[in-house]
Amino acid sequence: KISSTINKTQTDTQNNPCNQSDPQYNNRNMMEEQQIKEQQEDLVKKRKGILSLVTGPLPYYTYSADVIANYSHRPRTRRYNNHKRFNNNNDIADVEIQQEEGEDGETRRTCTKKEEYDPSKSEFTLFYFGESTSLHCLRVNPLIARFLRDLNQIDPDEEEENESSSSSQSNPLLPCQCICVPNDMTLEGYEIMCHGMGFWCMDFDHHGRIGIIRLMGVSVVPTVVVVNNKTGKTITDCGLDAIQYHSSSPKNVLDFWREGNSGVSLLVRATTGCNVM
């Protein structure tokens, strides 16, 4: 009986069109691997300066007008049960959700669908450094989200219908994309900062996170650093001041950033308060 089973297995392996010894199968695999390698090399070439540290897949949270309208400014500390806010598995658009049980026995959510961040799709990258327990960060979250929406002229209904607006090849060059760098170590903190905001999220364990923070000299939250995607150079670390000052006419700030200026005066910078990171 064992001998017949072995013979049958060998026969099935020989007749299998997907057998690894098949030249066509090997050639197809080699071509696919070569395409993936070329795509990764193209992405590396597109990342200049500090953007070279933004490697690996990042979760993207699509913009949601309903979330912005009902966004709460109350800090979610450990004493507050922030799981009540995310009781619907379909809350996060464009991201597949799985449930996993944490060490403390609580049910946590994981983002399983991630994409490579492509800086060539926009003129500027906004690095937004924040924290889910900071009242000031929670207040400016919807402000930054609306700024991006108005600047990029995103239709919320159209974006929610798309499977992934960030990976669409037909979209023209966007003015800005935003990468949120939360000072949080929990998935709940990431969701509080990014859910419904239209942000990319660089989690606490990302290999380039510490390097980006040190190179940009960020020590307070909230902070928005503007980077020119074409050159990889930092335009200003007063991006949040510019967003607040030009909130009624967001497109005006683009002219300042294109010229390499912050877009805000020294008086505006001096009157801005932040929290120590």
Side-chain angles (χ1 to χ4, degrees):
K1 186 180 287 188
I2 295 176
S3 177
S4 61
T5 303
I6 294 176
N7 293 334
K8 184 179 180 180
T9 303
Q10 293 176 349
T11 304
D12 293 342
T13 303
Q14 294 174 357
N15 296 332
N16 189 358
C18 296
N19 186 10
Q20 295 184 359
S21 62
D22 187 356
Q24 294 183 355
Y25 178 82
N26 292 335
N27 291 336
R28 184 166 60 251
N29 281 347
M30 292 177 61
M31 291 178 62
E32 291 177 355
E33 292 176 357
Q34 184 65 23
Q35 290 178 354
I36 294 174
K37 185 177 180 180
E38 291 177 355
Q39 291 176 356
Q40 292 176 347
E41 291 177 353
D42 291 339
L43 282 176
V44 171
K45 292 179 181 179
K46 293 176 183 177
R47 300 187 178 103
K48 302 289 184 64
I50 202 166
L51 293 172
S52 61
L53 297 177
V54 187
T55 57
L58 300 177
Y60 176 74
Y61 295 79
T62 55
Y63 181 88
S64 173
D66 293 336
V67 172
I68 300 297
N70 300 316
Y71 193 76
S72 174
H73 296 164
R74 179 179 179 181
R76 264 62 178 176
T77 63
R78 294 182 178 178
R79 298 178 182 178
Y80 184 80
N81 186 8
N82 51 27
H83 296 285
K84 294 180 180 179
R85 186 177 177 218
F86 306 105
N87 55 5
N88 186 356
N89 288 341
N90 297 323
D91 279 345
I92 298 183
D94 194 26
V95 179
E96 295 177 3
I97 302 299
Q98 285 185 348
Q99 301 285 351
E100 67 175 10
E101 189 170 341
E103 296 178 358
D104 52 1
E106 295 182 347
T107 301
R108 298 177 179 175
R109 300 157 58 122
T110 58
C111 302
T112 59
K113 185 176 181 180
K114 300 180 180 181
E115 301 176 17
E116 289 280 348
Y117 177 74
D118 189 354
S120 66
K121 293 183 178 180
S122 61
E123 293 185 62
F124 303 98
T125 295
L126 307 183
F127 285 90
Y128 169 37
F129 301 88
E131 186 173 337
S132 63
T133 58
S134 168
L135 179 60
H136 193 18
C137 292
L138 296 182
R139 283 177 176 171
V140 301
N141 263 12
L143 178 66
I144 299 173
R146 292 192 187 99
F147 174 84
L148 284 173
R149 188 269 317 269
D150 296 338
L151 196 63
N152 297 335
Q153 295 181 343
I154 295 176
D155 184 355
D157 296 331
E158 181 179 352
E159 186 184 34
E160 290 176 357
E161 290 176 359
N162 294 334
E163 181 180 357
S164 177
S165 62
S166 60
S167 62
S168 177
Q169 300 295 331
S170 61
N171 288 344
L173 185 67
L174 297 173
C176 291
Q177 296 183 88
C178 181
I179 299 178
C180 182
V181 188
N183 192 33
D184 294 275
M185 300 180 63
T186 63
L187 295 170
E188 292 82 6
Y190 307 154
E191 291 184 346
I192 291 171
M193 292 295 298
C194 302
H195 169 54
M197 298 295 160
F199 299 159
W200 296 83
C201 181
M202 179 178 289
D203 59 41
F204 196 85
D205 296 327
H206 191 277
H207 59 273
R209 178 181 178 273
I210 298 298
I212 290 174
I213 292 175
R214 290 178 177 175
L215 289 174
M216 290 185 171
V218 177
S219 59
V220 296
V221 294
T223 296
V224 176
V225 180
V226 183
V227 176
N228 188 314
N229 289 349
K230 189 175 182 179
T231 63
K233 295 182 178 180
T234 299
I235 302 298
T236 178
D237 59 358
C238 299
L240 182 58
D241 300 337
I243 291 172
Q244 291 175 324
Y245 187 75
H246 297 279
S247 59
S248 59
S249 53
K251 292 190 177 181
N252 291 344
V253 77
L254 282 179
D255 296 331
F256 291 102
W257 290 348
R258 287 165 181 163
E259 296 173 358
N261 299 325
S262 63
V264 290
S265 63
L266 291 175
L267 179 61
V268 174
R269 300 182 195 179
T271 55
T272 302
C274 295
N275 301 323
V276 177
M277 196 168 188

